Amino acid sequence: MLEHIPRAEEIRSMDKNELDALAGEIRGFLLDKVSKKGGHLASNLGTVELTLALFRAFDPPKDKVIWDVGHQCYTWKLLSGREKGFDTLRDLGGMSGFPKRKESPYDVFNTGHSSTSVSAGLGMVRARDLTGGRYSVVSVIGDGSMTGGLAFEALNDAAQLKTNFIVILNDNTMSIAKNVGGMSRYLTGIRTAGGYNRIKLAVKRLLSRLPVIGENMIERISNAKDSIKEIVVPSGMFFENMGLTYLGPVDGHNVIQMEKAFRAARDLQKCVLIHVKTKKGKGYPPAERHPDAFHGVEPFDVRTGKPLKKAAGKSWSEVFGDFMAEKGKTEKKLIGITAAMSGNVGLRKFEFAFPKRFFDVGIAEQHAVTFAAGLAASGMKPVVAVFSSFLQRAYDEIVHDVCMQDLPVVFAVDRAGIVGRDGETHQGVFDLSYLGNIPNMTVMAPMNAEELREMLELALQLGHPAAVRYPRGTAPESFMDRHVPVVYGKAEVLHRGSGIALLSFGDMADIAEETRLKLLGEGKDATLVNMRFAKPLDEECLRDLAPDHHTFVTLENGVISGGAGEKAGAVISALAPGARLIHVGVPDLFVTHGNTDEVMRLLGMDADTIVKRINTTEK
Ligand SMILES: Cc1ncc(C[n+]2csc(CCOP(=O)(O)OP(=O)(O)O)c2C)c(N)n1
């Protein structure tokens, strides 16, 4: 048990044994809290000693530390006075699971999406130098996040620096799952420091046995550390050749060793990359064995590692994954693409069944999209499975590489809508707006599993760009016990009433139906439409409703501004100029973390609030 949270000065005065004991207690604390509240576990267990070393070598918050993605910052939060926050971790109004500037001066930059820390850090370095500041700037980035192009753009720029900037590469060989690609292979190839020394000795012995090389020569070669390094260990050469100084690899669970490297780095007037090796899930055997399963967790039993609650049914991601695995059997040109999220988006079955047609491109959404465009231009049927919020990264690639060329790329847009406890960086609320404005793009939103499958089928047959967006959580298999097959561009009228029309997009169907039933209880027989297509909109359906409806309520799990509801509203205003329009969706703000239902109520996206709005004259 962690009985006392030490202050930075106390951490600095601890010896190795005390530091090891503290690290163990912190792990116990994190395990206890995360098992109760859910959150990111494995990455946080891996960065305990790294955080302690940062507190010893630097003086935060004067010195700035930026955590890439930020899912590994729990020890940082704990040691910067936020112990109590762990009781409300990721609750509505509680402590965020990611760094937040408004939460603490120790959080100098908000993160959540990967690969931003080096750019942000470099910006802070330039600002420091322009204003004569005297402090260190440290960006901590994982090997997974290093696969994102933005990180390379920033390192390329940082190589020009003539002042100090420290990048700590936290290499645990894992992204969420096993890291992929050339950089990952390269990092794995870099030997441990001990290994390097052993190899140096072996070379020395080998050379001494060669008759033509004398003792002097051996010494000279052995001392020419860099050239020996180049011969036997290409340690950090990639970074060195770029113009960065490489230090490492350093044992990321040895506080003293890391502290030494960090202190040495502080004195160099250039960008220094310190390669730290850690173990994801360190100290909790189930997480060490299955670091991907313990990357992000729901509340679980610490003894068994098993979730406390059983899933209520198949998730939307699983329905998508099953569709892909089945479809792959007959559609030989079907390609599954993920940006380091195979398990999360449900592509695992496809990955195992069709390894040659599955591509994990690393945390590289931009590349994933243009890569898919290249595949589509060559006659393949690529499906990019991606979270709505991460697809934001690839906007230009969607416009320039896919839609402008009208290429048949299918986007399976997962986590579209309010996602809950991960909070503002992960809310998938912009896609209806950002996809709905692009020529050649079709945008569909299913209300249940059956529709998701049909929409994916339709998207694959279309021959043009198409996106199917669906939320986090369990997918209802059917809705209102009825099924009308999906037809391109057509909405489905679920109930025909008059006066009030509820126009629902995707998973808002259940809230729309709840609203309809409440209105019915008040004697108002509202029409309920499952719009299905955000683009193209079914204008014929709206024309049909215009004569006998005075109020149109659009419902979408996304931002109102520029969304499907506003677009429908423009059509309705032209068809029925006097009609009252009510848009239900996310207002013009970034949506905080918290339980999804609570958050939706806060935003007025619940049936009670909708009925209230309908019953007032408020527009
Ligand atoms: C742009 C973007 N895409 C995907 C993700 C989802 N994601 C969160 S953490 C993570 C893996 C990060 O790996 P790494 O940086 O090595 O950190 P580790 O989890 O191993 O500590 C991914 C893919 C994200 N946060 N941002």
Side-chain angles (χ1 to χ4, degrees):
M1 289 312 291
L2 188 59
E3 270 160 21
H4 162 72
I5 313 291
R7 281 167 293 127
E9 310 86 75
E10 291 175 79
I11 296 170
R12 281 182 206 121
S13 66
M14 286 179 178
D15 64 20
K16 187 172 178 323
N17 290 339
E18 289 168 324
L19 286 166
D20 287 346
L22 176 61
E25 287 172 19
I26 291 174
R27 284 201 170 87
F29 176 89
L30 296 180
L31 201 53
D32 177 49
K33 299 296 177 188
V34 178
S35 65
K36 287 180 180 138
K37 306 294 292 182
H40 287 96
L41 183 66
S43 307
N44 279 302
L45 291 177
T47 51
V48 175
E49 288 88 357
L50 171 53
T51 312
L52 290 172
L54 284 168
F55 269 94
R56 281 169 73 94
F58 299 99
D59 183 18
K62 185 170 130 305
D63 292 329
K64 321 277 177 222
V65 176
I66 303 145
W67 294 93
D68 206 284
V69 182
H71 63 312
Q72 73 295 57
C73 72
Y74 288 8
T75 305
W76 184 257
K77 291 200 179 213
L78 178 67
L79 298 178
S80 56
R82 283 172 273 176
E83 179 196 358
K84 291 261 180 303
F86 283 89
D87 295 330
T88 61
L89 182 64
R90 302 167 6 116
D91 288 344
L92 185 62
M95 186 168 76
S96 165
F98 292 96
K100 290 277 178 253
R101 280 152 54 97
K102 63 178 180 216
E103 206 178 81
S104 163
Y106 284 78
D107 294 355
V108 295
F109 202 76
N110 290 11
T111 48
H113 290 201
S114 90
S115 321
T116 62
S117 64
V118 187
S119 299
L122 186 55
M124 288 180 195
V125 166
R126 296 287 192 202
R128 175 195 66 194
D129 297 347
L130 285 168
T131 55
R134 289 174 69 82
Y135 48 84
S136 295
V137 178
V138 184
S139 297
V140 184
I141 180 167
D143 58 301
S145 299
M146 195 64 115
T147 61
L150 184 58
F152 287 96
E153 293 171 29
L155 284 177
N156 182 54
D157 189 7
Q160 304 184 71
L161 262 184
K162 294 194 172 52
T163 58
N164 185 253
F165 174 32
I166 299 171
V167 177
I168 297 174
L169 173 58
N170 171 26
D171 175 12
N172 56 20
T173 74
M174 299 291 291
S175 192
I176 289 180
K178 199 83 197 132
N179 199 6
V180 297
M183 174 53 72
S184 171
R185 191 178 316 146
Y186 171 68
L187 293 174
T188 308
I190 296 179
R191 319 290 201 275
T192 61
Y196 166 64
N197 288 333
R198 273 200 306 280
I199 290 164
K200 219 168 103 173
L201 279 177
V203 170
K204 214 168 158 179
R205 251 183 273 124
L206 182 80
L207 291 177
S208 67
R209 275 194 231 121
L210 298 177
V212 286
I213 300 180
E215 198 51 46
N216 247 351
M217 184 67 123
I218 295 165
E219 267 320 298
R220 269 185 18 226
I221 294 175
S222 301
N223 289 338
K225 197 163 148 253
D226 284 346
S227 55
I228 285 277
K229 248 192 192 172
E230 242 174 310
I231 297 167
V232 295
V233 204
S235 191
M237 277 300 155
F238 173 84
F239 301 107
E240 291 272 345
N241 288 344
M242 266 184 85
L244 312 171
T245 290
Y246 171 93
L247 294 182
V250 184
D251 177 356
H253 299 297
N254 184 327
V255 179
I256 307 287
Q257 210 185 89
M258 276 185 287
E259 183 189 356
K260 272 192 196 146
F262 296 171
R263 285 186 185 278
R266 283 192 330 197
D267 298 331
L268 299 170
Q269 294 312 304
K270 58 194 300 202
C271 178
V272 186
L273 184 135
I274 307 172
H275 184 185
V276 164
K277 293 216 160 198
T278 59
K279 185 158 189 57
K280 195 161 177 167
K282 173 90 175 166
Y284 180 52
E288 286 193 13
R289 279 196 299 276
H290 305 288
D292 48 349
F294 283 88
H295 178 88
V297 291
E298 295 297 326
F300 66 96
D301 179 349
V302 177
R303 250 177 340 101
T304 61
K306 298 252 160 33
L308 292 181
K309 260 201 230 143
K310 266 201 148 174
K314 268 193 189 169
S315 69
W316 292 91
S317 315
E318 277 177 287
V319 175
F320 161 73
D322 288 351
F323 171 87
M324 288 292 287
E326 195 51 39
K327 190 74 189 163
K329 292 179 190 161
T330 49
E331 178 51 84
K332 302 291 180 199
K333 290 185 172 172
L334 186 67
I335 308 278
I337 301 170
T338 175
M341 308 281 284
S342 181
N344 310 67
V345 296
L347 270 181
R348 278 270 189 265
K349 282 188 190 165
F350 186 87
E351 175 180 355
F352 291 126
F354 313 106
K356 288 197 178 139
R357 289 190 272 136
F358 165 83
F359 297 95
D360 177 352
V361 298
I363 312 180
E365 289 80 7
Q366 291 174 276
H367 163 57
V369 172
T370 303
F371 169 64
L375 283 160
S378 311
M380 305 308 281
K381 294 198 166 184
V383 177
V384 181
V386 58
F387 285 13
S388 166
S389 66
F390 302 146
L391 188 59
Q392 287 161 200
R393 276 243 160 132
Y395 193 57
D396 187 54
E397 285 74 9
I398 300 170
V399 173
H400 177 271
D401 298 323
V402 176
C403 292
M404 224 174 262
Q405 302 184 72
D406 199 12
L407 289 168
V409 174
V410 174
F411 296 93
V413 186
D414 200 330
R415 309 302 199 267
I418 302 296
V419 296
R421 304 174 79 88
D422 276 340
E424 58 185 4
T425 52
H426 286 56
Q427 308 290 8
V429 292
F430 300 108
D431 61 275
L432 283 170
S433 301
Y434 72 67
L435 295 173
N437 291 334
I438 312 176
N440 293 332
M441 177 65 97
T442 292
V443 184
M444 296 173 254
M447 67 171 180
N448 59 33
E450 201 169 30
E451 277 193 1
L452 172 55
R453 288 187 285 268
E454 283 191 26
M455 287 177 179
L456 289 166
E457 184 68 52
L458 196 148
L460 283 170
Q461 304 309 325
L462 207 56
H464 302 281
V468 186
R469 57 110 59 188
Y470 44 92
R472 185 176 195 273
T474 307
E477 186 51 40
S478 61
F479 189 76
M480 290 172 89
D481 273 343
R482 49 174 290 157
H483 184 65
V484 177
V486 173
V487 175
Y488 187 80
K490 289 279 156 221
E492 177 193 14
V493 178
L494 293 169
H495 175 82
R496 188 67 158 94
S498 63
I500 301 163
L502 303 167
L503 310 178
S504 167
F505 292 89
D507 64 309
M508 289 300 282
D510 56 351
I511 291 176
E513 169 64 354
E514 199 186 328
T515 306
R516 185 184 77 82
L517 293 176
K518 283 183 190 283
L519 290 169
L520 200 60
E522 296 175 4
K524 294 166 192 154
D525 184 16
T527 293
L528 175 58
V529 183
N530 169 25
M531 292 299 287
R532 289 185 167 168
F533 288 77
K535 185 174 186 289
L537 278 167
D538 187 352
E539 294 193 15
E540 207 181 303
C541 170
L542 299 178
R543 194 170 300 118
D544 182 49
L545 298 178
D548 57 348
H549 292 81
H550 53 75
T551 297
F552 289 82
V553 184
T554 64
L555 302 95
E556 66 199 295
N557 197 349
V559 291
I560 293 168
S561 179
E566 277 195 356
K567 291 196 181 78
V571 175
I572 294 160
S573 295
L575 290 170
R580 186 157 70 112
L581 283 173
I582 296 175
H583 296 309
V584 175
V586 176
D588 189 24
L589 47 79
F590 289 108
V591 181
T592 185
H593 50 272
N595 167 284
T596 303
D597 290 341
E598 283 173 18
V599 170
M600 288 184 78
R601 265 199 299 281
L602 186 78
L603 298 171
M605 293 168 71
D606 62 300
D608 284 334
T609 311
I610 299 168
V611 170
K612 251 187 231 146
R613 281 181 73 185
I614 292 170
N615 286 340
T616 63
T617 50
E618 179 200 353
K619 281 228 166 185

